[in-house]
Amino acid sequence: MTATTLSLPVERTRRPSQSRAEAVAAYVLSAPAIICLFGILLLPTLATFVLSFTDWQFGAPTLRWIGLDNYVHLAGDRVFWKSLTNTVVYVAVVVPCSVLLGLGAALLIEAGTSGRAFYRAAFFLPVTATLIAMATVWEIMLHPSIGLINVLIEALGFSKQNWLKDPELALFALAGIGIWQALGLNMVLLLAGLKSIPRDLYEAAAIDGADGPWTRFVTVTLPMLGPALSFVLIISAIRSFQVFDTVAVLTEGGPNKATEVLLYTMYQEGFGFFRAGYGAAITVVFLVFVLLLTLIKARLAEKRVHYS
Amino acid sequence: MSGVSIQRISKSFGQTRVLRDVSLEVGPREFLTLLGPSGCGKSTLLRIIAGLEQADEGSIALGGQQVDGLLPRQRDVAMVFQSYALYPYMTVAENIGLPLLMRRTRAWQRLPLIRRLHPVARAAAGTIATDVRRAAEALQIAPYLERKPSQLSGGQRQRVALARAMVRNPRVFLMDEPLSNLDAKLRVSARAEIADLHRRAGVAFIYVTHDQAEAMTMSDRVGLMMDGEILQVAPPGEIYDEPAALRVAEFIGSPKINTLPGVVRADGGVAVPGGVLEGGSGLAAGTEVVAGIRPEHWILGMSGASGSLGALSGTVRHLENLGSDLFLYAESQGGGPLLTVRAAPETVRQVSPGTAVALKPRPGRVLLFDRSGQRLRARP
């Protein structure tokens, strides 16, 4: 995070005492924002970072500095590696699917003439719903014997699956729920992006000969959607890195750690086993990933995708 | 063979009729300007010619070929938009070259890797680069070919839009207020450039604007549109001197034409409030008319001799000295709105607010309209 100084176009021909008074006033006025920024965002992050070098047990009166021990332990922890791999697989499935489906839905809605508001609201519904409550509904839907999904699959001639209990399938079942949930927000953001493309450009493209659906899409829509698309990609990546509630409600990391993900492991270590220091170390790893994505986003924002 | 032939076009958006039975012929090398206030339907007509809008009725032929139902691409027209509609993520060269790229290559030849490797695609890229450079040099934007539109000034962007239009030699140029985003000085020089472009291109231009200066300076003919109808199509001088309707006379000319309600007298003169406009109108006595006199068609007298036949008398209320021209705003004794009079700038030594003046129209310069606004051809 960087601090930027704003220079206001104020006359600079004042007496020194007056300019000092101005400086004091400036600090006093910005103090609430600075205090909040540090107190709510920066200090907790720093505290987590510091805690990750200690052996603090949640609620314990004392703690000991143990240096990199937590990280060394992490490097050899089979559960952590399983959890990290699962998280990356989850992100790798959810991000492309939810962005592509969101883009498809946005394009279809934008191209349609009637019922736009209905489709928009319908796709957006999962975003507004409480995921814990929705997870329970999904649990019933995915139920091995009475679940709607298995009933449908059987009607189509396939064999029933035990979605949440099969180690091969559980993570992808959760990813499916993740896509269902992320799709709506991606669609709304991309719809806004589509709306902001000037109609003139499509008309110029029509006259220039770029008028087939595919040519028009790659000549105008996709490049003009660049800013919105990169934002959506990064936001859905960060959000799917944070996957927690479906795991906690539906599988608790099982079966046999098949759905163990970073935040769930962190939660287990920190609040299940009370190893707060170790949990903090996992959080730091998690933060590094999110920070990396944020950096990519900032870099993308600088280059290419913005044209103004 | 005609350049553009527009037959009885009508168009409605919902309940609003924006074009009513519009017909127009544009010569193969003609520069025709559609002039009118905003909302008169001129842009819609242009977009129908381009194929961006479908007409409800009527048909259009370009170069003798019916184009109704054809896509914009198939009509072989070029269009310059008010916003320029440049692709912001492409360089100037890519912007200008896009119409050529789309016509000279197939979709699969434009795919990233194939574009560089396939012989046809590479050959096309070579000829496109040559043509783009030629167009850019003609419009003096060759030094900016590798820049993005956002790095260019308004005038340069406008030239890029023109270059993109001229690069593939279309059979008609359509321009939708291409100068309205430029500042006043640039607009004057851009006018000369577009007129020059027209001479070199040698094809029909249809130019839409609400600015009469653009219409008068560049066009071979001006089509004046109001409320979805073309009121008159004529060369600039004729549309100014011989307007077909009062609305045309009022729209063209700045300051606006003076209008006086009057009645034709037995001797052919026209009685207006405060005086009589002399001369044989050839109209039946008692005909109710509106007399229009342009500001430069008054003869200004200093006598102040009131009531003398064939003259109006009034009092100067306000002066505008533009250096090259002096405009007097005089209150007629007969009342009504202030009369606008153009006088030589030297006159400023003789008049000031409050000066009594006598006004007489130049012989043969009174335009008569009936009370519905239609031109009456005989003059007083």
Side-chain angles (χ1 to χ4, degrees):
Chain A
M1 236 159 270
T2 55
T4 33
T5 45
L6 278 175
S7 60
L8 294 167
V10 181
E11 262 188 89
R12 281 279 164 234
T13 54
R14 303 246 173 94
R15 281 172 288 126
S17 65
Q18 202 174 353
S19 67
R20 197 176 312 129
E22 258 178 23
V24 170
Y27 281 113
V28 169
L29 287 173
S30 52
I34 291 175
I35 289 168
C36 282
L37 184 68
F38 275 85
I40 296 173
L41 298 172
L42 297 182
L43 275 181
T45 312
L46 194 69
T48 308
F49 194 67
V50 171
L51 273 182
S52 74
F53 295 105
T54 70
D55 69 345
W56 190 51
Q57 302 269 315
F58 190 69
T62 59
L63 54 82
R64 197 163 51 89
W65 185 266
I66 55 167
L68 288 171
D69 273 11
N70 279 333
Y71 293 95
V72 173
H73 188 180
L74 263 187
D77 185 347
R78 205 186 55 82
V79 175
F80 167 74
W81 284 111
K82 182 75 186 159
S83 156
L84 184 61
T85 320
N86 283 343
T87 310
V88 170
V89 169
Y90 180 87
V91 172
V93 172
V94 171
V95 172
C97 291
S98 67
V99 172
L100 283 179
L101 290 173
L103 180 62
L107 287 171
L108 286 177
I109 290 172
E110 184 66 14
T113 46
S114 60
R116 285 188 189 192
F118 168 75
Y119 287 118
R120 234 176 7 231
F123 280 107
F124 197 66
L125 212 57
V127 182
T128 57
T130 318
L131 194 53
I132 305 266
M134 286 296 127
T136 318
V137 175
W138 275 105
E139 188 167 26
I140 299 166
M141 299 251 292
L142 293 168
H143 191 278
S145 49
I146 59 159
L148 179 65
I149 289 176
N150 268 353
V151 171
L152 285 176
I153 276 183
E154 201 171 39
L156 289 171
F158 297 95
S159 57
K160 287 182 174 184
Q161 301 292 336
N162 195 346
W163 296 101
L164 296 171
K165 294 288 185 316
D166 184 337
E168 302 272 304
L169 287 177
L171 188 62
F172 295 98
L174 293 184
I177 301 174
I179 294 166
W180 170 80
Q181 214 239 343
L183 176 67
L185 185 64
N186 291 350
M187 176 212 66
V188 164
L189 291 170
L190 291 171
L191 261 181
L194 283 176
K195 283 237 186 301
S196 72
I197 300 176
R199 241 183 57 169
D200 274 4
L201 282 187
Y202 285 111
E203 295 180 344
I207 286 174
D208 289 343
D211 56 356
W214 171 251
T215 316
R216 188 171 54 217
F217 180 72
V218 293
T219 315
V220 181
T221 311
L222 200 56
M224 289 306 285
L225 214 50
L229 210 53
S230 71
F231 178 77
V232 164
L233 273 173
I234 299 296
I235 287 293
S236 24
I238 291 177
R239 281 170 59 99
S240 24
F241 254 103
Q242 294 168 340
V243 57
F244 175 78
D245 11 21
T246 44
V247 176
V249 175
L250 294 179
T251 63
E252 294 172 327
N256 192 21
K257 308 289 181 203
T259 59
E260 190 84 25
V261 292
L262 272 185
L263 276 197
Y264 190 72
T265 314
M266 186 276 282
Y267 167 79
Q268 285 271 306
E269 292 292 345
F271 303 99
F273 313 138
F274 299 117
R275 289 190 290 203
Y278 195 57
I282 299 175
T283 310
V284 168
V285 172
F286 170 78
L287 269 180
V288 166
F289 273 96
V290 172
L291 214 65
L292 217 65
L293 285 169
T294 314
L295 276 179
I296 294 171
K297 176 180 178 294
R299 189 52 59 84
L300 274 178
E302 275 169 29
K303 284 174 98 179
R304 277 179 50 84
V305 291
H306 287 275
Y307 313 111
S308 54
Chain B
M1 193 168 67
S2 152
V4 180
S5 171
I6 297 164
Q7 301 289 338
R8 315 202 60 174
I9 292 285
S10 290
K11 174 76 179 171
S12 300
F13 290 119
Q15 293 298 310
T16 328
R17 289 198 77 186
V18 283
L19 291 174
R20 299 156 195 267
D21 204 14
V22 171
S23 296
L24 183 66
E25 297 287 330
V26 184
R29 290 167 161 266
E30 191 178 17
F31 194 126
L32 183 123
T33 300
L34 292 171
L35 174 68
S38 50
C40 71
K42 56 193 192 301
S43 283
T44 306
L45 181 56
L46 196 74
R47 294 163 56 81
I48 288 174
I49 299 170
L52 296 172
E53 242 26 286
Q54 293 302 314
D56 298 337
E57 286 164 50
S59 79
I60 288 175
L62 299 178
Q65 180 203 356
Q66 293 291 122
V67 294
D68 311 298
L70 290 189
L71 294 170
R73 165 173 57 88
Q74 299 163 323
R75 298 188 177 201
D76 196 17
V77 298
M79 185 153 167
V80 177
F81 293 82
Q82 183 176 354
S83 65
Y84 314 141
L86 301 177
Y87 310 107
Y89 41 88
M90 292 184 188
T91 63
V92 169
E94 288 167 337
N95 263 288
I96 300 174
L98 189 78
L100 299 179
L101 188 70
M102 289 300 152
R103 281 173 170 74
R104 294 183 190 172
T105 60
R106 294 170 184 281
W108 62 270
Q109 290 169 340
R110 294 191 290 268
L111 292 173
L113 200 63
I114 296 167
R115 188 170 51 202
R116 300 200 189 286
L117 299 176
H118 192 271
V120 174
R122 286 183 56 176
T127 62
I128 289 169
T130 317
D131 292 352
V132 165
R133 178 152 287 277
R134 191 177 305 139
E137 273 163 5
L139 287 160
Q140 288 135 39
I141 45 171
Y144 315 118
L145 278 177
E146 294 314 311
R147 293 202 195 165
K148 295 276 170 70
S150 58
Q151 296 165 294
L152 301 179
S153 70
Q156 289 163 342
R157 282 181 214 187
Q158 200 257 339
R159 284 157 193 244
V160 176
L162 285 177
R164 183 174 66 183
M166 67 179 274
V167 72
R168 65 185 166 84
N169 306 316
R171 62 181 165 193
V172 55
F173 272 78
L174 306 173
M175 305 206 173
D176 191 2
E177 311 223 8
L179 303 186
S180 56
N181 287 345
L182 299 182
D183 63 47
K185 257 187 192 166
L186 216 50
R187 220 175 289 173
V188 174
S189 62
R191 279 194 324 230
E193 253 166 45
I194 290 179
D196 186 47
L197 178 64
H198 170 244
R199 272 190 293 276
R200 276 184 292 162
V203 295
F205 272 45
I206 301 180
Y207 186 104
V208 160
T209 184
H210 64 269
D211 180 345
Q212 49 170 304
E214 288 174 19
M216 300 300 270
T217 51
M218 292 189 286
S219 325
D220 295 322
R221 283 192 303 159
V222 176
L224 196 108
M225 282 188 79
M226 271 183 198
D227 300 328
E229 287 172 306
I230 296 186
L231 299 183
Q232 187 174 5
V233 187
E238 188 183 323
I239 209 165
Y240 185 83
D241 289 333
E242 301 289 344
L246 186 57
R247 288 192 290 171
V248 177
E250 285 183 320
F251 190 80
I252 293 191
S254 174
K256 217 166 110 175
I257 193 168
N258 297 291
T259 55
L260 296 163
V263 179
V264 176
R265 304 195 326 169
D267 64 1
V270 177
V272 297
V276 173
L277 306 175
E278 258 187 350
S281 68
L283 297 168
T287 313
E288 294 199 323
V289 295
V290 175
I293 301 129
R294 295 214 179 265
E296 68 273 26
H297 292 152
W298 290 110
I299 298 169
L300 182 66
M302 288 303 134
S303 63
S306 62
S308 67
L309 201 66
L312 294 172
S313 54
T315 312
V316 174
R317 287 286 170 236
H318 177 56
L319 289 171
E320 280 178 0
N321 189 355
L322 303 181
S324 57
D325 290 308
L326 176 70
F327 289 103
L328 309 179
Y329 295 89
E331 187 178 353
S332 164
Q333 268 185 350
L338 293 183
L339 298 173
T340 313
V341 182
R342 193 182 81 181
E346 302 82 65
T347 322
V348 76
R349 289 186 221 113
Q350 299 162 44
V351 292
S352 55
T355 309
V357 290
L359 296 171
K360 197 169 116 180
R362 289 181 196 281
R365 283 303 195 172
V366 177
L367 303 167
L368 290 182
F369 304 90
D370 66 22
R371 287 288 162 98
S372 71
Q374 284 307 304
R375 178 77 186 279
L376 299 168
R377 278 296 163 183
R379 283 180 165 163

